Amino acid sequence: MSAKADTKPQEDAVAPKKAGGMGLGGMKLSGLLKPQATAVADSALKELALDLIDEDPNQPRLEDNPGFRPEMIAEIGGTIKARGVKQPISVRENPDAPGRYIINDGARRYRGSKWADKSSIWAIIDNDFVPDDQVVANIQREGHTAREIAKLIGQRMASGMKKGEIAKRWGKSPAYITQHAALLDLPPAIAQAFDAGRIADVTLVNELVTAHKSKPQEVADWLADESQEITRGSVKLLREFLEDGVKRDPNTIDALNGKTDAENEDGEGDSEPPKKKTEPKEEDPTKLKKAIVQVEINGDLCRLILNKRPSDGDVAWFKNEISGEEFEASLASAKLIALVEG
């Protein structure tokens, strides 16, 4: 059979077989298209030059959205540089600029491709677009939970991969991988709160783990209160409370002597009586807190500098009280004027 006869209709085609493509080989386009009768035709998949694509100025995500932070785009760009774009973006034809396109979905992949110095990107041209499509896509794109990510990291590590290798492959920082890997071996009290959905922030989990190492029972008791909100603010207060230390309830029973703290303080039981507070001593009115020796040299009022080493035994350093100048002079030339308190 000739090569021409082997050619299949466009609707049965998969991604173009271009060398160095974007990882679309073998992927059925039907999974990317809309199920409605007006579904986008397979021929709408194209490789477009990045300089022909514009971002939607009215897209619902604002420029200060966390997903648009430079470090996030750099992460995406690093992955694209290494592995290509795995999912085409969606664009529509620009009615005001023939030959140009506006992004429906995929602004971050578009920015990541530019960061990676790519010249083109695969895109599905979908002119059947309404602004709410972007909102729905962003709301429904939940991604993996932190626990799921931890499980995946555990699987990779069990296969022999190092954390640094996982970070590089996923386009994440080593700290990100380490934080999530810590979720694999949580203390029971923290694991229970995390699995119950009371803690969603990985940073908070790690802060609680740190606190638990030094005060396990206190952290467990704190988490046992299901009405306790676990937020950045509440965890910060907990850690400050544990670090500063607070006096125990006076009714707490001492495990050694069976007495309460209050009884011990009253002198009952085997504990030593509390020590009396020592009264502060009265200051000696004859002592100077800081002595200043004032002298007169060549008619100028000066002070003797006591903490500066002189060059010889019969000289000393002085400071002119008017000009502030410091100088070295003979002790014989200095006339004692007064001894005052500084």
Side-chain angles (χ1 to χ4, degrees), residues 38-238:
T38 57
V40 182
D42 289 358
S43 59
L45 178 65
K46 292 185 178 180
E47 186 176 11
L48 300 176
L50 287 174
D51 57 11
L52 293 179
I53 302 173
D54 300 310
E55 292 192 45
D56 187 348
N58 298 315
Q59 80 141 307
R61 286 193 295 189
L62 302 177
E63 192 59 35
D64 61 356
N65 185 284
F68 286 154
R69 293 198 304 262
E71 58 269 28
M72 295 300 295
I73 299 302
E75 282 189 1
I76 295 170
T79 302
I80 291 173
K81 198 166 188 176
R83 301 280 294 162
V85 174
K86 294 298 179 181
Q87 181 179 350
I89 66 172
S90 171
V91 299
R92 63 187 183 275
E93 295 173 336
N94 190 336
D96 300 322
R100 298 192 65 81
Y101 302 87
I102 299 174
I103 295 175
N104 298 332
D105 179 61
R108 299 204 312 155
R109 277 165 281 161
Y110 167 78
R111 294 188 184 192
S113 296
K114 293 179 70 174
W115 183 95
D117 293 325
K118 297 290 184 180
S119 60
S120 61
I121 190 170
W122 287 97
I124 293 176
I125 301 173
D126 180 7
N127 291 320
D128 181 26
F129 169 83
V130 293
D132 282 342
D133 288 346
Q134 288 181 334
V135 178
V136 173
N138 290 334
I139 291 175
Q140 293 182 345
R141 188 185 291 121
E142 294 180 355
H144 291 296
T145 65
R147 197 69 167 175
E148 290 171 340
I149 295 172
K151 184 177 179 180
L152 291 170
I153 292 172
Q155 292 172 350
R156 300 297 188 275
M157 292 174 64
S159 70
M161 290 180 64
K162 303 295 184 183
K163 292 180 183 177
E165 186 180 354
I166 300 172
K168 185 176 181 180
R169 182 169 295 188
W170 288 7
K172 290 292 185 180
S173 68
Y176 175 92
I177 301 300
T178 299
Q179 278 192 331
H180 283 78
L183 302 179
L184 297 169
D185 188 24
L186 294 175
I190 300 176
Q192 183 177 357
F194 184 73
D195 291 337
R198 294 176 61 200
I199 318 173
D201 190 328
V202 178
T203 302
L204 292 186
V205 174
N206 283 278
E207 288 185 7
L208 286 171
V209 169
T210 300
H212 188 274
K213 290 178 180 177
S214 58
K215 302 284 186 178
Q217 189 58 52
E218 286 83 348
V219 173
D221 292 343
W222 188 78
L223 290 171
D225 180 4
E226 295 187 357
S227 65
Q228 172 65 58
E229 285 190 86
I230 305 176
T231 64
R232 290 182 182 274
S234 65
V235 172
K236 181 175 183 291
L237 290 174
L238 171 66

Side-chain angles (χ1 to χ4, degrees), residues 293-305 314-322 325-337:
V293 180
Q294 290 186 326
V295 298
E296 180 183 321
I297 299 178
N298 297 328
D300 293 333
L301 181 62
C302 305
R303 71 170 61 183
L304 177 64
I305 300 177
D314 60 350
V315 298
W317 281 93
F318 300 91
K319 180 177 180 179
N320 190 299
E321 295 281 37
I322 305 300
E325 177 190 2
E326 295 185 359
F327 59 95
E328 196 175 33
S330 169
L331 286 170
S333 65
K335 179 182 178 182
L336 182 63
I337 298 297

